[in-house]
Amino acid sequence: MKIVLLGTSSAVPTLTRGLSSTALVREGDVFLFDCGEGTQLQLMRSSVKRSRIHSIFIGHLHGDHLYGIAGLISTLHLDAREAPLNVFGPEGLRAFLNASFRTSDLQFTFKLTVREFPRGYRGRVLDEEEYYVDALPLDHSIFCLGWRFQEKDKPGIFNLETAEKLRIPRGPLYGKLQHGEEITLDDGRVITPDMVLGEARTGKSVAYCLDTQFSERTIQLADKCTALIHETTFGPDSISLARERKHSTMEDAARVAREAGVENLIATHFSSRYDGRQVTQIADEARNVFEKITVGRDLLEVEI
Ligand SMILES: [Zn+2]
Ligand SMILES: [Zn+2]
């Protein structure tokens, strides 16, 4: 999987940072988290193909995470897209989209499904054969959902040579073993899956937590994930401002990363008061709490 940061600024764009949006690319499919104004342009500057967007997840309805979605969907319509599109987000999202599209008299070329969640919602919002997405409320000034994209574990690779050595007849028995079932051969021998399968492949996971102040729920959502994308709006100079506006400092995010036992923290959503050098300094200090911090910047790609 690949994470592509499209916009890393909070509240307002700057000349070097766009508004919040992050793409997760998995086997060609694109999952877009938030869609601030300017996301379309950032997509064009990046390696991410807008035609491959599978679903869009909007965590909360603050403008810096939302105002790009109507424009992007309008462009998908002009592209004569045919594939259906899913949009997930808090209650109010559908009304926002409907108002935009009705105003412009936009009739879609494709099926748009908007799924809304009421305040406090937690649960599985998408469940596919190879992955699922869970949502959990964060702790922000308005209702805000965090998301966890989780690949399902895959059984180990079937070892053909071992199977032949064990004289297991080719055919449906192979399939049974691959699916974790134990089999009994005609000669009475019992073969268990671990005798022919390599080690199980653990699915990777990405937690996306924007916007929120430090919260136990975030730790829960991010539990042992491969990458935690967390807002880090402020530095140590603005702790009271972070508390007042229900945002996080870089150190808050580092604490979440440490307590959740994640592999990597990707910091994003920086206040426009900091330039790139200052953000790097803030991250250096937060490494006392959690070492593995990747400082986000627009168009940065992180392979996981
Ligand atoms: Zn924000
Ligand atoms: Zn916000």
Side-chain angles (χ1 to χ4, degrees):
M1 289 199 283
K2 180 171 76 171
I3 293 164
V4 184
L5 299 179
L6 296 166
T8 60
S9 193
S10 78
V12 293
T14 72
L15 285 172
T16 52
R17 292 185 207 129
L19 292 172
S20 284
S21 187
T22 298
L24 178 67
V25 187
R26 184 186 180 277
E27 293 185 5
D29 284 335
V30 176
F31 304 87
L32 200 64
F33 293 87
D34 288 336
C35 191
E37 178 200 338
T39 297
Q40 298 200 58
L41 281 168
Q42 294 294 75
L43 279 168
M44 289 162 74
R45 294 183 181 114
S46 76
S47 63
V48 181
K49 291 190 178 76
R50 69 172 179 245
S51 62
R52 296 301 307 270
I53 297 175
H54 176 289
S55 301
I56 303 176
F57 301 86
I58 302 291
H60 70 303
L61 303 182
H62 278 155
D64 56 326
H65 298 249
L66 173 70
Y67 290 166
I69 191 171
L72 173 61
I73 293 178
S74 164
T75 298
L76 296 179
H77 163 73
L78 295 174
D79 287 342
R81 178 185 172 110
E82 286 175 5
L85 178 71
N86 307 306
V87 180
F88 301 88
E91 255 170 12
L93 179 59
R94 188 181 287 119
F96 173 82
L97 291 173
N98 283 349
S100 306
F101 302 140
R102 224 181 10 243
T103 306
S104 311
D105 192 23
L106 194 60
Q107 316 285 337
F108 291 113
T109 56
F110 57 93
K111 186 169 185 290
L112 176 72
T113 307
V114 182
R115 262 197 75 192
E116 284 189 333
F117 306 104
R119 197 177 174 81
Y121 175 89
R122 62 164 64 195
R124 188 145 303 173
V125 301
L126 194 62
D127 194 359
E128 300 283 335
E129 200 182 320
E130 295 186 349
Y131 59 84
Y132 59 82
V133 180
D134 284 345
L136 197 75
L138 304 177
D139 191 355
H140 191 40
S141 53
I142 60 170
F143 174 46
C144 179
L145 285 164
W147 312 98
R148 180 182 177 116
F149 185 100
Q150 176 73 52
E151 280 185 327
K152 295 179 181 174
D153 292 345
K154 283 187 200 159
I157 293 166
F158 193 88
N159 191 329
L160 214 58
E161 226 173 278
T162 312
E164 278 168 3
K165 266 190 205 150
L166 289 166
R167 300 187 316 280
I168 304 167
R170 278 175 184 267
L173 291 179
Y174 279 22
K176 282 189 176 172
L177 286 163
Q178 177 79 68
H179 285 101
E181 284 177 51
E182 150 182 315
I183 58 163
T184 307
L185 300 179
D186 288 344
D187 59 13
R189 284 182 297 140
V190 175
I191 309 288
T192 53
D194 60 292
M195 292 164 77
V196 289
L197 297 182
E199 227 171 279
R201 291 161 288 175
T202 314
K204 293 186 172 159
S205 47
V206 176
Y208 182 86
C209 303
L210 277 72
D211 295 344
T212 185
Q213 63 179 344
F214 178 86
S215 150
E216 289 297 328
R217 284 199 296 270
T218 319
I219 297 169
Q220 207 182 321
L221 185 73
D223 185 50
K224 295 186 180 57
C225 66
T226 318
L228 164 63
I229 304 166
H230 199 291
E231 72 129 293
T232 54
T233 310
F234 295 109
D237 58 303
S238 301
I239 294 172
S240 55
L241 204 58
R243 302 288 176 266
E244 186 187 312
R245 299 193 183 160
K246 298 211 168 196
H247 279 297
S248 296
T249 63
M250 183 83 75
E251 200 179 312
D252 290 332
R255 271 178 64 205
V256 171
R258 187 184 62 195
E259 289 178 35
V262 310
E263 286 177 30
N264 187 11
L265 166 64
I266 300 173
T268 184
H269 197 271
F270 308 116
S271 164
S272 57
R273 69 183 54 209
Y274 307 119
D275 61 21
R277 195 179 49 83
Q278 288 166 309
V279 169
T280 306
Q281 261 171 17
I282 292 168
D284 281 343
E285 285 177 43
R287 286 198 180 92
N288 292 325
V289 177
F290 183 78
E291 174 71 33
K292 204 124 196 300
I293 301 176
T294 302
V295 179
R297 63 182 151 72
D298 285 26
L299 306 181
L300 176 72
E301 298 198 357
V302 182
E303 289 281 348
I304 63 161

